[in-house]
Amino acid sequence: MHAVERSTVTVDLGAIRRNAETLRRAAGGAELWAVVKADGYGHGALEVSRAALAGGASALAVATLAEALPLRAAFPEARLLVMGPVEDVAAAREARLELVAVGDEVPEDVPVHLKLDTGMGRWGLAELPAPTRDVVGVLSHLASAESDPDFTMAQIERFRGATAPLAGRLTRHLANSAGTLRYPEAHLDAVRCGIALYGISPFGRDPAADGLEPALRWESYLALVKRLQPGESTGYGRRYVAERETWIGIVPVGYADGFRRDLTGTQVVVEGKPTPVVGTVSMDAIAVELGRRLPTGTAVTLVGEGVTIEDHARVAGTIGYEIATGIVTAPGRARRVVRDG
Ligand SMILES: *Cc1c(COP(=O)(O)O)cnc(C)c1O
């Protein structure tokens, strides 16, 4: 039978650790820096950081100061980089963070990395200024390493060229997950891996093809099983109407839990069988077409047992990143537990 929770997210720290080891091997001699922004891509930043460090990551990277502070408290010795802009430089200094200069203003009296814009067209400087004494690294970010080899090679060459005089003196880092897995030329001194650390493919395909292991399972249960007669429907807008007598299961997970409204038609797993999600996704519930009568309380796997985050992303017309970070673990929604497998 089901627990009190409407759904449970289980994060396997062993998978995170093994993915870190895989990425470290893929990166050749470069250091692996674990990107744990957005609460570890929805997996839980503290636990994921612990596993990534155990798997050989030598630094943690986040997007904001607020994300960095709890990590500093939990990991007093870890190297901790904030990749996005930070207003409160004094707080960053106090927490021994490393910052990135994303524009003309270079933070002072704190270890800083200069960001060169080589084609992302977002944060970063058009030209590298002469490094001040606070500068410890130079970086750039790839815009389409998962899809555009020509543009990616041009970015890599621009970065390597612009930073060649600094080689050996400053840490040069460029590659994200896709860059790490596909472009040895981008490895340089350190790679910054997020999505692949979680066992999600940056290429939107089967993560096993790159030796990655999904770390997240998402499970719920059949809260109600009902028989629809021909012509009866389930859900808002009557988007699913039974053509013949059909058994429908109602699962207490909806778009407010992060099971997005555009996931109609995706598959979940019920008793080992791929089972389609039918009708409109509600705020708090989805309907699945069982094709047979099953007891209430039967387990439903939303992610896992062969159903990947990439599968859902494809149906929703988005990327795995958005599905993973969209899962809501607030009170009353998915409960998150970790295990060390
Ligand atoms: C998020 C982020 C990464 C990690 O990208 P993945 O594709 O998840 O590996 C690396 N570098 C920067 C600057 C980022 O913002």
Side-chain angles (χ1 to χ4, degrees), residues 21-47:
E21 288 162 358
T22 299
L23 290 166
R24 220 157 60 104
R25 275 194 304 277
E31 288 183 33
L32 169 65
W33 294 358
V35 179
V36 296
K37 62 192 175 189
D39 199 19
Y41 290 44
H43 291 61
L46 289 178
E47 293 84 356

Side-chain angles (χ1 to χ4, degrees), residues 35 37 41 83 115 122 139 141 175-178 192-196 202 321:
V35 179
K37 62 192 175 189
Y41 290 44
M83 299 184 294
K115 187 164 193 178
R122 204 178 58 174
L139 72 151
H141 195 29
N176 55 6
S177 295
R192 306 182 306 267
C193 292
I195 199 77
Y321 299 70

